[in-house]
Amino acid sequence: MGLTWTIVTLVIALGLAWRFLGSYMAAVFEGRVHFLGWAERPVYRLLGTSPDQEQTWKRYAGALIVFSALSIALTYVIIRIQGSLPLNPQHLGAVPPALSFNTAASFVTNTNWQNYGGETTMSYFSQMGALTVQQFVTPAVGIAVAIAVVRGFSRRNSPTIGNFWVDITRCLLYVLLPIAFVAGIIFVGQGAVQTLAGPVHIRNALNGVTQTIPRGPIGFMEAIKQLGTNGGGFLNANSATPFENPTGLTNWLSIFLVLCIPFSLTYTFGKMVGSVRHGAALLAAMVIIFGIWVGGTTIAEHQQNPAVAAAGVHANVGNTVGKEVRFGDTSTALFGAASTSTSTGSADASYDSFTPMGGFFLITGMMLGEVTPGGVGSGLYTILIYAIIAVFIGGLMIGRTPEYLGKKIQAKEVKLAGLGALVMPIAVLVLTAIAVSIHAGRAGPLNAGPHGFTEILYALTSQGNNNGSAFAGLTGNTAFYNVVGGIDMLIGRFGIMVPAIALGGVLAAKNVVPESLGTFRTDNGMFVGLVIGVIVIIGGLTFFPAVSLGPIVEQLSHGKFF
Amino acid sequence: MTATATAPEPTQPEPPTGGRGVATARGLFDGEILRQALLDSVVKLNPATQVRNPVMFVVLVGSVITFIEAIAHPGVFTWSITIWLFLTVLFANFAEAMAEGRGKAQADTLRKMRSETEARRLLPDGTEELVPAATLAKGDLVVCEPGDLIPSDGEITEGIASVDESAITGESAPVIRESGGDRSAVTGGTKVLSDRIVVRITAERGQTFIDRMITLVEGANRQKTPNEIALTILLAVLTIVFLPVVVALQPFGRYAGASVSVVVLVALLVCLIPTTIGALLSAIGIAGMDRLVQRNVLAMSGRAVEAAGDVQTLLLDKTGTITLGNRMASEFVPVGGHTEEEVASAAQLASLADETPEGRSIVVLAKERFDIRERRLEGDHQFIPFSATTRMSGLDVDGRRIRKGAAESVKRWAAEQEGTVPPDLDGIVERISRVGSTPLVVADGPDVLGVIELKDVVKQGIREKFDEMRQMGIRTVMITGDNPLTAAAIAQEAGVDDYLAEATPEAKMSLIRTEQEGGKLVAMTGDGTNDAPALAQADVGVAMNTGTMAAKEAGNMVDLDSNPTKLIDVVEIGKQLLITRGSLTTFSIANDVAKYFAIIPALFVATYPQLNALNIMKLHSPQSAVLSAVIFNALVIVALIPLALRGVKFRAAGSASILRRNVFIYGLGGIIVPFAFIKLIDLVLVALHAY
C-alpha cells in the first residue's frame, strides 16, 4: 500500500472514529451507556462506591494517587517475585530492584519505557498480569483525568467533578476492552503470535547453531499496546518484528489504534461541553501540527542518508538504515511520527538511525508536550492546559477578563495551567543537565558529540513526556538511568495530572458567563492559530537551545561524524 | 435616579477636554514629572521594593552577578552587559515612576486645596463657636456663609446655597445645594457663594472625599487587580521556566566541550524572561487609573476599572443619559376645528411666564413656526403658576383665561366652565403619549384649542454609541420612571436593547440580580439615596458627584462631571487597560524568537562552527550579537513607555477584529521588529568600533 493510500484510508477511518467513537465516549462518561451493567454494578459494590457518589477534585486526585501508588507497588512486586509465580516457562529470575522500579514507574505512567528486553527478562505472568494490566488501566486513568477536566467546563457551580472509580471502570468496560478485543483478533489473525507454550529452539543443521525463538501472548497485548498509547512491546524489537507487527495491515492498524482515541476525545470534549465546534477547534490544532510533523519526518527520511552521501555514494533511495524493508522509509516515518506525537513510543524501526532532521521531528514531537494528539486522555487534558494559556493571552488582547467556554480564566486557573505547562520542560532539562554532568550519565550514550547528547536528551524527553520511545544507542539499564528515568516519568505524569484535575475542580465551581459579541471566540481559526502558537512557542522557547546542540548541529554538519 | 427621573437635570457640558479639576493638563512627558521620575527610578532599586516585581528582580540579581564577574574579570564586554542590565532595571523603574509621577502631581494640587481653615460650629443653644476644621467630628453642625470654604464633607440640614465646586470638578458654574432630597451633599474644600447653610459633618477627619481622592491618585496603597495578579503569575511561570532552560546550558555546553560564560547566560536569561511586560505592567495599571482621572472619574479601586471592561449589561437612566432631560415642544396639534396657529398663539401666551425649559421651548417653537413674537403684556394681566393640585399653568389677560396642562386637568377645567371637549382630543392625546411624548392641552376659557406635544429629545450621537456597545457585546438597558408605552418609544428611538419602565428601586435591584445570576457583570449610574443599594450591588456603580453621600459611598466610582454618559467611556478605559497588558505580553514573548537567533549561535559557534547558520541576522561577532540583544531588550522598554501610559489604541469593534488586529501588530510585529532592531544595533556597535 503506497503512502498516499495509507494516509487516505487512515484519514477516513480516523474521521469516522472521531465522529462516532467520540460521541460514544461522551455517552459512556455521561452515564448513558449501560449494556454491560451486569459487569459494572459488582465492580462498584466491590469498591464500595456508586455513580451517585461524586467526588471533589481533591478526592478525585486522591483516589487517582492511591490507585497509581498501588499499581506501582503491585507491578514492582510481581516482577520482583516472578520466579516464584506461574507461567514462567523460561524460568526467568527476579528483575533487579532499580530496573523493577523503572519498569513499574514506566508502565503505571503509561510511558512504557523499557530498559529491558521483554523476551529475556519478563515471564509470561509478568507480561500479562503486571504489564498488560497496566496497559489497560493507565489509559483509563488518563481518560478519566481528561473527562474530569472536561466536566470542569461542562458543569456550573458544581463542587464535584465525577467519580474516579466509576470513570475508570466505565472506560475499561465500554471503551478499551471491546476495541482491544476486536483489534487483538485482527493482530492474531494476521499472524501475531499468541501462545503460552514458551519459546521454541531451532537447530540450524547447516551451521550447527541452536536458535531460540521467543514466543508468548503477544497478539492481544499488541492491541492494547497501541490503543492505549502505551507502546511497550512484548519483544525488545517492538513493532519492528513480524511477531508483533506481522503485515502491512497490522502496521496500518497500529497507526490507526494509536491515533483513534486521542483524536476522538476532542469530539467527546465538544459533545460534553455542548459545542462540537470547540472540539473541532482543538482537533484542528492537533491535526495541523501533527500533519507538519508527519510531513517533516517523511521528507527527512525520504532523503538519502547524509552519511552515505558524504561518503560520495549517490543512491536513489531514502534513508533505509535501521528500517524494515517491508514497511519502507515513508511508512516508517509515518509510524514514527504517530508514535512520538501520541506518547505511545512504539517503534517499527530504529529511531537512532533516522536522519538528524527525522530525529529532530521525533524528539520535538514529544517536546511539544504530547498534545498532537498526545496520549490517551493526557493529550486532551494537556492541550486544554495550553488552550487556557492561549485563552488568557488572547482574551486580554480583546479587553475582557479571558473566558473559555464561559469560564473565567483568572489567577487560580493561570497558576494551575502554568504549573501543568512548566513541569515537563523543567523535569526534562534539569534531569538532562544532571545526566550530562555526572559520570554515570555520561557513560550512557553509544555515540560521541551531538548524537550522544541527543541520545541522552531523547531518553529523558521520552520519559518525561510519558512517550517511552527509545532512540536506542543509550545504555539505559543502569542504576542511574533507571532511577532518574523513573523519577522523570512520575513527574511527567502526575506533575501534570494533579494540576489538571485541580483545574477541572476550580472550573466546575464557577458560573458560566453568557456568550456575547464581545466574547473571545474559542471555536474559530484564529483561536486554532493561537493554540498552535502557544504550543509551538512554549515548546520552542524551552527546548530550542537544547535541540540546537543536538539534532540541529548534526543536520548542519551534513553527515560528518563526531 | 428613579425618584428624580422627571426632574430636570442641571445641564452638564459634554466630557471635559482636560485641564480642569484634578485632571491638570500635563503632557505625557512633563518636565517636572520627568525629573522626579528619574530620581525615583534610582530610589526604587531598593531590593525590598524591587522584589515585588519578580521579573525585574531576576534582572537585578542577574546584573549583580555580571557586576561581580566584571570586577573579577574586567573587560569591555562584561562591563557593557552589566551596565545595560542595570539600565534595564532602571528603565522599568522609570516607567513606573513616570506613571506614579502624574498621580502625585494631581495629589499635590488636591492637598493644597484641603482646607486648614476654621469652622463655625453651631452649638445646641444656637450660638456659634470658631474651631479649627481639623477638630470637627462626625455629626457636628457647622454654618457656612458666602465666601466660606466648607470645612469637611457633609449634608445640608438647613438652607439652600450656590456652591463653587470647581476645585474638585473643574466646572466653574456654581451648583445649587439644598437641604433634603438628592442635592444635599457638600464636599469639603468647596466654596459657598450665596446664602447661608447649616451642614452636618458626615466624614471623620482624614476620610473626607478629598483625602480619599489623594490616596487614589497617588496610588499609595494600590492593590493589584485580579487580571493583573493572573498575568503576574503567568509572567512568573515564564520566568521560572526559563531559569532551567538557561542554567542547563552550562552543563549542556560543557558536555559539548564548550565553555559557556556566565555573563552570556545571564544576558540570555534576561533576554528570554518577559522583561518588557514585566517592566511596564504596573505603569499600565497606574496609567489606566490616571486616564480615568483625566476624564474626571474617580475609581475607588483598580478592580472596578477592570470590571468595567468586562461589563455585559449597562443600565442607563433615561433622563440625562439617553435624553437631554428636558422635554421640548415639537408640535402644536389643533382640535375641534381650531387652527394650528391659534394653538401656538395661546400656548405661547400661557408660557410667557414659564421659565422652565419646557415653557421656553413652547415660546420658541411658536416663534419659529408662526413667527409669533413674544408679546409684551400691558395692562391688567395675571400669571397663574403651575401647582401640584391644579396641574395647570397659564395667564389671565383681557378677560381671556388661557391654560395649559395635563389632559385630564384641562378637560376638567373646561367642563367646569361648561365648555365641551372636542371628540378628537382623546385620540390625539393618546397618540402623543404612545410615541413617548408628553401632551399638554391648551384651553382658552371653556374652549379646548389643541395639544402641545412635548418631546423627550434623545441626545445626538447616542444611537451610534449604543451601536458600538452592541458590537462590543454589551447590552444596554434604559431605566425610566415613565410608563411602558413612553419607555418603549424612547427605547426604540435611542436604539437601546431593552428598557425597564416604571422602574422602582426594587425593580432595578432585581434586574441587576437577575443579570448577575446569569453570569453577567452589570454597570450603572445613579445619584439618589434610593439608588445606593443598586449602586452597591452593581459590579460597576458610578455615582454622580452631584448625588447624595449615600450614593457616593455605595458606588465604586464617582463622576465629578456628573455626566452619566461617561459610563461608556469608563467601559472603554477598562477594556483598553486589559488590551494594553495582553498586547505587550504577546509582544514580549514574541520577541524571544529573535533573541534566540542572536544569542544561541553566539554561545556555541566556537564549539560548533556549523551553528553560524542560525545566525540569520549575520551579526558581526558573538559578543556584538549578545550585546545587541541586551541593548534592544533594554531600549524597547523605554520605547514602549508612551504606549503603556497612553494605552493601546482602542476602537469599538467585535472581539474577532480586535484580536486579529492585535495579534497582527503585537504578535507578528513582536517577532519581526527585534530582528530588524537587533541587526541595527549591531551595525551601530560595529560602526562605533565597539567590536
Side-chain angles (χ1 to χ4, degrees), chain A residues 260-306:
Chain A
C260 74
I261 294 183
F263 276 134
S264 303
L265 274 173
T266 59
Y267 189 95
T268 311
F269 163 70
K271 184 95 182 161
M272 286 179 75
V273 300
S275 161
V276 173
R277 272 184 70 97
H278 274 88
L282 291 187
L283 176 75
M286 288 174 168
V287 167
I288 290 170
I289 300 183
F290 181 64
I292 295 170
W293 257 251
V294 167
T297 320
T298 311
I299 291 169
E301 290 314 298
H302 202 55
Q303 306 301 313
Q304 197 186 1
N305 186 332

Side-chain angles (χ1 to χ4, degrees), chain A residues 176-549:
Chain A
L176 297 174
L177 282 167
I179 302 176
F181 183 73
V182 174
I185 289 179
I186 300 175
F187 270 105
V188 176
Q190 286 290 306
V193 175
Q194 180 75 22
T195 172
L196 291 177
V200 285
H201 304 279
I202 295 171
R203 192 183 145 75
N204 189 324
L206 286 176
N207 55 16
V209 174
T210 304
Q211 265 189 306
T212 305
I213 308 291
R215 297 187 303 183
I218 298 174
F220 280 92
M221 183 180 183
E222 196 59 21
I224 191 62
K225 171 186 112 180
Q226 306 292 18
L227 178 69
T229 63
N230 290 293
F234 190 97
L235 304 169
N236 194 22
N238 211 304
S239 294
T241 74
F243 284 8
E244 285 199 11
N245 186 8
T247 64
L249 177 64
T250 55
N251 201 47
W252 182 96
L253 183 64
S254 297
I255 299 172
F256 169 78
L257 287 175
V258 153
L259 297 172
C260 74
I261 294 183
F263 276 134
S264 303
L265 274 173
T266 59
Y267 189 95
T268 311
F269 163 70
K271 184 95 182 161
M272 286 179 75
V273 300
S275 161
V276 173
R277 272 184 70 97
H278 274 88
L282 291 187
L283 176 75
M286 288 174 168
V287 167
I288 290 170
I289 300 183
F290 181 64
I292 295 170
W293 257 251
V294 167
T297 320
T298 311
I299 291 169
E301 290 314 298
H302 202 55
Q303 306 301 313
Q304 197 186 1
N305 186 332
V308 174
V313 180
H314 293 280
N316 242 342
V317 293
N319 174 29
T320 51
V321 181
K323 291 191 177 63
E324 288 285 292
V325 175
R326 61 205 173 100
F327 301 136
D329 54 22
T330 50
S331 205
T332 307
L334 174 61
F335 190 107
S339 167
T340 48
S341 289
T342 55
S343 101
T344 305
S346 53
D348 69 355
S350 166
Y351 294 154
D352 195 29
S353 308
F354 270 35
T355 61
M357 280 322 281
F360 167 86
F361 280 108
L362 297 182
I363 195 170
T364 51
M366 299 187 286
M367 283 169 172
L368 295 184
E370 292 293 10
V371 290
T372 60
V376 166
S378 64
L380 181 64
Y381 64 70
T382 314
I383 202 171
L384 282 171
I385 285 174
Y386 286 118
I388 284 173
I389 295 174
V391 162
F392 182 72
I393 297 174
L396 284 184
M397 274 199 283
I398 62 155
R400 279 265 293 259
T401 295
E403 31 190 88
Y404 189 30
L405 287 157
K407 300 283 188 174
K408 282 196 176 163
I409 306 302
Q410 290 165 307
K412 248 186 199 167
E413 293 77 27
V414 171
K415 196 186 292 174
L416 291 168
L419 193 63
L422 63 74
V423 158
M424 182 277 289
I426 290 183
V428 170
L429 289 169
V430 169
L431 294 176
T432 307
I434 293 173
V436 298
S437 300
I438 65 174
H439 179 74
R442 296 166 80 103
L446 175 72
N447 301 76
H451 198 73
F453 178 74
T454 309
E455 287 169 357
I456 299 177
L457 181 65
Y458 192 105
L460 291 161
T461 303
S462 169
Q463 293 177 80
N465 282 289
N466 300 148
N467 179 280
S469 72
F471 205 47
L474 185 83
T475 309
N477 189 12
T478 64
F480 174 78
Y481 278 109
N482 276 328
V483 172
V484 165
I487 293 168
D488 199 17
M489 290 184 278
L490 293 172
I491 295 176
R493 176 85 165 172
F494 300 105
I496 300 175
M497 271 189 167
V498 173
I501 298 172
L503 207 48
V506 171
L507 289 170
K510 291 199 160 188
N511 198 353
V512 173
V513 182
E515 201 177 316
S516 74
L517 264 178
T519 306
F520 173 62
R521 290 284 298 271
T522 45
D523 58 355
N524 59 9
M526 192 70 199
F527 179 68
V528 173
L530 272 182
V531 173
I532 293 175
V534 166
I535 294 171
V536 172
I537 291 257
I538 289 189
L541 291 182
T542 44
F543 286 110
F544 180 77
V547 170
S548 62
L549 289 176

Side-chain angles (χ1 to χ4, degrees), chain A residues 156 389 392-403 408-412 414-415 418-419 421-422 425-426 428-430 432-434 436-437 442 445 447-450 452-453 456-457 511-521 524 526-527 530 537-538 540-546 548-549 552-553 556-557 560 562, chain B residues 226-227 229-231 233-234 236-238 240-242 244-245 248-249 251-256 268 272 306 309-312 470-474 516-521 574-576 578-583 585-586 589-590 592-593 596-597 600 604 608 610-614 650 654-656 658-660 662-663 666 671:
Chain A
R156 60 166 78 184
I389 295 174
F392 182 72
I393 297 174
L396 284 184
M397 274 199 283
I398 62 155
R400 279 265 293 259
T401 295
E403 31 190 88
K408 282 196 176 163
I409 306 302
Q410 290 165 307
K412 248 186 199 167
V414 171
K415 196 186 292 174
L419 193 63
L422 63 74
I426 290 183
V428 170
L429 289 169
V430 169
T432 307
I434 293 173
V436 298
S437 300
R442 296 166 80 103
N447 301 76
F453 178 74
I456 299 177
L457 181 65
N511 198 353
V512 173
V513 182
E515 201 177 316
S516 74
L517 264 178
T519 306
F520 173 62
R521 290 284 298 271
N524 59 9
M526 192 70 199
F527 179 68
L530 272 182
I537 291 257
I538 289 189
L541 291 182
T542 44
F543 286 110
F544 180 77
S548 62
L549 289 176
I552 292 181
V553 165
L556 294 172
S557 309
K560 189 172 137 249
F562 288 86
Chain B
N227 278 314
I229 295 171
L231 185 54
I233 292 172
L234 183 72
V237 165
L238 287 172
I240 293 169
V241 83
F242 282 123
V245 168
L249 276 180
F252 290 179
R254 217 180 310 116
Y255 183 82
L268 177 62
L272 291 181
E306 217 175 68
D310 287 350
V311 160
Q312 281 178 301
R470 202 166 301 115
Q471 275 190 359
M472 288 192 261
I474 297 171
Q516 286 176 334
E517 270 155 27
K520 290 182 178 171
L521 261 60
K575 284 194 179 295
Q576 195 187 28
L578 294 187
I579 294 178
T580 308
R581 286 197 197 120
S583 301
T585 305
T586 309
I589 299 171
D592 281 1
V593 176
Y596 260 141
F597 278 97
I600 293 293
F604 295 111
Y608 296 129
Q610 307 91 313
L611 281 181
N612 204 36
L614 294 181
F650 174 79
S655 60
I658 298 181
L659 183 66
R660 205 173 313 118
N662 288 331
V663 166
Y666 298 97
I671 292 178

Side-chain angles (χ1 to χ4, degrees), chain B residues 28 183 235 238 402 460 539 576 592:
Chain B
L28 207 50
R183 301 276 179 278
L235 298 183
L238 287 172
I402 304 168
Q460 260 197 333
D539 301 283
Q576 195 187 28
D592 281 1

Side-chain angles (χ1 to χ4, degrees), chain B residues 103-287:
Chain B
K104 277 194 186 132
Q106 285 157 357
D108 288 344
T109 320
L110 286 169
R111 264 204 200 90
K112 280 181 203 139
M113 168 180 125
R114 198 155 53 177
S115 67
E116 295 298 339
T117 51
E118 305 216 291
R120 296 160 61 186
R121 184 155 64 184
L122 194 64
L123 298 173
D125 60 3
T127 56
E128 295 171 14
E129 62 168 353
L130 275 181
V131 293
T135 62
L136 285 176
K138 211 167 165 176
D140 281 353
L141 292 175
V142 294
V143 176
C144 296
E145 287 190 331
D148 287 350
L149 281 178
I150 296 172
S152 183
D153 294 357
E155 208 133 358
I156 301 180
T157 55
E158 210 184 304
I160 174 167
S162 59
V163 178
D164 173 9
E165 293 194 336
S166 61
I168 295 176
T169 62
E171 179 55 59
S172 54
V175 294
I176 302 296
R177 294 284 181 243
E178 59 184 320
S179 62
D182 288 341
R183 301 276 179 278
S184 63
V186 287
T187 313
T190 56
K191 195 185 226 168
V192 178
L193 293 180
S194 72
D195 304 282
R196 174 183 184 274
I197 48 170
V198 177
V199 175
R200 191 183 49 233
I201 304 301
T202 53
E204 298 285 358
R205 185 76 195 153
Q207 307 216 311
T208 63
F209 188 64
I210 291 191
D211 291 319
R212 289 205 333 239
M213 269 171 73
I214 292 172
T215 324
L216 280 170
V217 295
E218 267 191 333
N221 32 13
R222 197 179 82 86
Q223 291 191 329
K224 283 187 176 164
T225 58
N227 278 314
E228 204 178 346
I229 295 171
L231 185 54
T232 309
I233 292 172
L234 183 72
L235 298 183
V237 165
L238 287 172
T239 307
I240 293 169
V241 83
F242 282 123
L243 219 55
V245 168
V246 171
V247 172
L249 276 180
Q250 178 81 20
F252 290 179
R254 217 180 310 116
Y255 183 82
S259 68
V260 183
S261 120
V262 174
V263 175
V264 178
L265 284 185
V266 170
L268 177 62
L269 178 65
V270 170
C271 286
L272 291 181
I273 61 176
T275 48
T276 314
I277 179 69
L280 298 173
L281 189 57
S282 66
I284 295 170
I286 298 167

Side-chain angles (χ1 to χ4, degrees), chain A residues 20-309:
Chain A
F20 295 105
L21 179 58
S23 74
Y24 170 71
M25 285 193 286
V28 167
F29 293 106
E30 282 171 349
R32 290 184 276 122
V33 179
H34 295 294
F35 67 89
L36 291 173
W38 52 269
E40 210 180 328
R41 281 184 294 272
V43 177
Y44 300 151
R45 258 199 303 282
L46 195 71
L47 293 168
T49 189
S50 90
D52 307 325
Q53 287 178 24
E54 290 261 327
Q55 294 170 318
T56 62
W57 78 261
K58 283 180 186 153
R59 299 281 307 271
Y60 201 98
L64 181 145
I65 297 292
V66 167
F67 179 75
S68 300
L70 287 176
S71 295
I72 292 177
L74 185 71
T75 310
Y76 182 87
V77 169
I78 290 179
I79 58 180
R80 288 286 291 145
I81 61 166
Q82 65 175 358
S84 328
L85 294 172
L87 291 175
N88 187 2
Q90 290 155 280
H91 306 292
L92 293 164
V95 180
L99 180 58
S100 296
F101 164 68
N102 185 277
T103 306
S106 171
F107 279 78
V108 173
T109 55
N110 193 254
T111 311
N112 290 213
W113 174 267
Q114 292 166 297
N115 271 338
Y116 61 87
E119 59 272 42
T120 53
T121 317
M122 298 293 170
S123 72
Y124 289 175
F125 188 87
S126 297
Q127 294 274 22
M128 293 192 297
L131 306 185
T132 311
V133 165
Q134 290 308 319
Q135 291 191 329
F136 271 104
V137 296
T138 56
V141 169
I143 294 178
V145 174
I147 295 297
V149 179
V150 173
R151 288 194 186 116
F153 291 103
S154 65
R155 296 180 175 190
R156 60 166 78 184
N157 303 327
S158 160
T160 58
I161 50 169
N163 180 316
F164 173 75
W165 307 109
V166 172
D167 286 340
I168 56 168
T169 308
R170 286 187 174 153
C171 185
L172 279 169
L173 282 179
Y174 294 112
V175 182
L176 297 174
L177 282 167
I179 302 176
F181 183 73
V182 174
I185 289 179
I186 300 175
F187 270 105
V188 176
Q190 286 290 306
V193 175
Q194 180 75 22
T195 172
L196 291 177
V200 285
H201 304 279
I202 295 171
R203 192 183 145 75
N204 189 324
L206 286 176
N207 55 16
V209 174
T210 304
Q211 265 189 306
T212 305
I213 308 291
R215 297 187 303 183
I218 298 174
F220 280 92
M221 183 180 183
E222 196 59 21
I224 191 62
K225 171 186 112 180
Q226 306 292 18
L227 178 69
T229 63
N230 290 293
F234 190 97
L235 304 169
N236 194 22
N238 211 304
S239 294
T241 74
F243 284 8
E244 285 199 11
N245 186 8
T247 64
L249 177 64
T250 55
N251 201 47
W252 182 96
L253 183 64
S254 297
I255 299 172
F256 169 78
L257 287 175
V258 153
L259 297 172
C260 74
I261 294 183
F263 276 134
S264 303
L265 274 173
T266 59
Y267 189 95
T268 311
F269 163 70
K271 184 95 182 161
M272 286 179 75
V273 300
S275 161
V276 173
R277 272 184 70 97
H278 274 88
L282 291 187
L283 176 75
M286 288 174 168
V287 167
I288 290 170
I289 300 183
F290 181 64
I292 295 170
W293 257 251
V294 167
T297 320
T298 311
I299 291 169
E301 290 314 298
H302 202 55
Q303 306 301 313
Q304 197 186 1
N305 186 332
V308 174

